Amino acid sequence: MPLTLDLSTGDLAGTRLAVSPLSETVSGLQTLAGCWGRTRHVRWTRWAAAELAARPLDLARTWPLLVTGRASWPQFLLPAPARAASTIDEALAAMCRTTASEVRRSLRGVFGDRLPGPVQALADDPAAGLRAVAAELRQAHDRLIAPHWARLRAVLDADISYRAKQWADGGAGRLFTDLHAGLNWRDGRLTLDGDHRPSPARPAGGLVLSPVVLGPPWVMIKLHTTTQTTIRYPARGSGALWTADERRPAGHAVRLLGRRRAELLETLRSPATTTDLAEALHVSPSAVSQHLRVLRDSGLVAGQRSGRAVRYRTTEQGIRLLSPGSPTHRPPEAHPGSDPTTEAQL
């Protein structure tokens, strides 16, 4: 039987969308370690590997917890975001509030009774150990995530905006079933194909839906948690984030729109601001704005305000123009079922 969540009216009322820089940090480190197998983020992993080769990070406390060689890892390392856009410091503070008993229970659930040395040190003094892990994760975030956070955040914000519209237009059914090909919603039940863990009676405190860029192309559900049940899923546009500005537009699009507008349309498979586009295509922001105005008026791109910035993205109509005959919405890969990197309820 697939993993099934029975959602009450209260659970649905408490369901929310949130992004987390800590989630990207944890997923980024696991991506670097090869936990997900073949990655869609080769450009980022090559950059990160070169960065660490030039100036290594000390992750002596954190690495054994995230790269376990087992079917799970301690979930207290990734608390549910407390609000729509928590900061890295807020997330790390929430992690450090994990009680000693919760830390030890989680470590035993992952490693059994014989804990590796660095893990045993955390079990012996959870408060000090969590502070040390938090310091390492903060350094990893500052070195590996912060330099790219504007681009990552653009994809995450665009995904949140899209999901909110799906929710408004079609309710929970459209929201959940559009998150991933392996998720199914019917009669108040949310099921994840390929995940055969024992199903809980109820999710903890409603659901937090959190898009991830640097994670695997499948859904990860954290259940028996000290915060809230969290569904982490691949953000729309993740696969194109590092390659969109390198793709050459198809010849028919160039003939129809002109090379510069076709390049803009291709680049905007991953959301970007006018400044981002100007830097990527080596043109002035004013020229980008003029081209965007034409593309927007033609229904080929759409803008979404995020704070002071407006992030643009190619619409489904634009994707059809770039790739005629291709589906405009290509769902991520299905959950691999027995893949050892599936999140556990710890």
Side-chain angles (χ1 to χ4, degrees):
M1 292 291 292
L3 177 69
T4 301
L5 299 178
D6 289 305
L7 301 181
S8 67
T9 302
D11 294 325
L12 290 175
T15 294
R16 54 193 178 87
L17 297 155
V19 302
S20 169
L22 180 56
S23 179
E24 294 298 339
T25 304
V26 166
S27 293
L29 291 174
Q30 292 174 320
T31 293
L32 278 175
C35 292
W36 317 129
R38 184 178 178 182
T39 178
R40 301 169 295 167
H41 307 294
V42 174
R43 187 172 168 185
W44 177 82
T45 56
R46 287 175 178 169
W47 170 85
E51 175 74 11
L52 295 180
R55 191 158 55 101
L57 272 173
D58 181 4
L59 299 172
R61 295 291 193 103
T62 303
W63 197 261
L65 298 172
L66 292 180
V67 185
T68 66
R70 292 169 167 80
S72 59
W73 50 280
Q75 295 301 294
F76 61 77
L77 295 173
L78 202 57
R83 54 194 183 92
S86 298
T87 67
I88 184 67
D89 290 325
E90 289 170 336
L92 291 173
M95 183 194 75
C96 287
R97 289 194 294 270
T98 309
T99 66
S101 61
E102 290 164 347
V103 169
R104 294 183 180 114
R105 178 182 60 81
S106 183
L107 293 178
R108 287 195 299 272
V110 174
F111 299 99
D113 293 330
R114 300 182 64 181
L115 303 181
V119 178
Q120 183 64 59
L122 176 58
D124 290 341
D125 190 348
L130 286 176
R131 288 194 297 270
V133 170
E136 291 182 0
L137 285 171
R138 180 57 198 257
Q139 291 183 28
H141 167 268
D142 292 348
R143 291 276 307 282
L144 303 178
I145 302 302
H148 303 281
W149 182 241
R151 297 185 72 186
L152 294 167
R153 182 64 187 271
V155 174
L156 295 169
D157 284 348
D159 182 276
I160 292 291
S161 297
Y162 174 81
R163 304 301 172 190
K165 186 176 186 303
Q166 294 294 90
W167 202 347
D169 289 345
R174 182 177 296 184
L175 170 67
F176 289 129
T177 56
D178 192 55
L179 283 178
H180 192 275
L183 279 174
N184 299 283
W185 169 258
R186 184 176 181 182
D187 298 331
R189 291 185 172 183
L190 185 65
T191 61
L192 178 59
D193 294 338
D195 190 331
H196 302 293
R197 295 173 291 171
S199 299
R202 278 280 181 269
L207 299 178
V208 178
L209 310 180
S210 186
V212 184
V213 173
L214 292 176
W218 56 78
V219 170
M220 298 175 286
I221 299 182
K222 182 173 66 172
L223 295 173
H224 303 306
T225 170
T226 58
T227 51
Q228 281 182 273
T229 299
T230 307
I231 298 180
R232 300 165 67 215
Y233 62 90
R236 296 176 75 244
S238 297
L241 176 60
W242 313 108
T243 60
D245 58 355
E246 297 179 343
R247 294 181 179 177
R248 299 183 62 181
H252 67 274
V254 173
R255 290 191 296 271
L256 181 64
L257 301 173
R259 177 160 299 279
R260 187 60 71 195
R261 289 173 186 167
E263 288 174 344
L264 279 171
L265 198 63
E266 184 67 56
T267 301
L268 285 173
R269 286 178 183 266
S270 182
T273 65
T274 299
T275 301
D276 295 334
L277 293 167
E279 292 176 354
L281 300 176
H282 307 291
V283 296
S284 68
S286 61
V288 170
S289 295
Q290 292 175 12
H291 291 310
L292 283 175
R293 188 177 302 114
V294 174
L295 294 173
R296 186 182 58 208
D297 291 345
S298 302
L300 300 178
V301 303
Q304 177 70 41
R305 180 166 293 280
S306 177
R308 296 181 178 180
V310 177
R311 306 189 190 281
Y312 295 91
R313 181 166 183 165
T314 303
T315 62
E316 293 187 354
Q317 181 178 337
I319 293 176
R320 284 196 296 269
L321 189 150
L322 290 171
S323 307
S326 298
T328 57
H329 176 65
R330 185 175 300 167
E333 298 174 28
H335 191 285
S338 59
D339 191 284
T341 56
T342 302
E343 290 195 357
Q345 291 79 106
L346 300 170

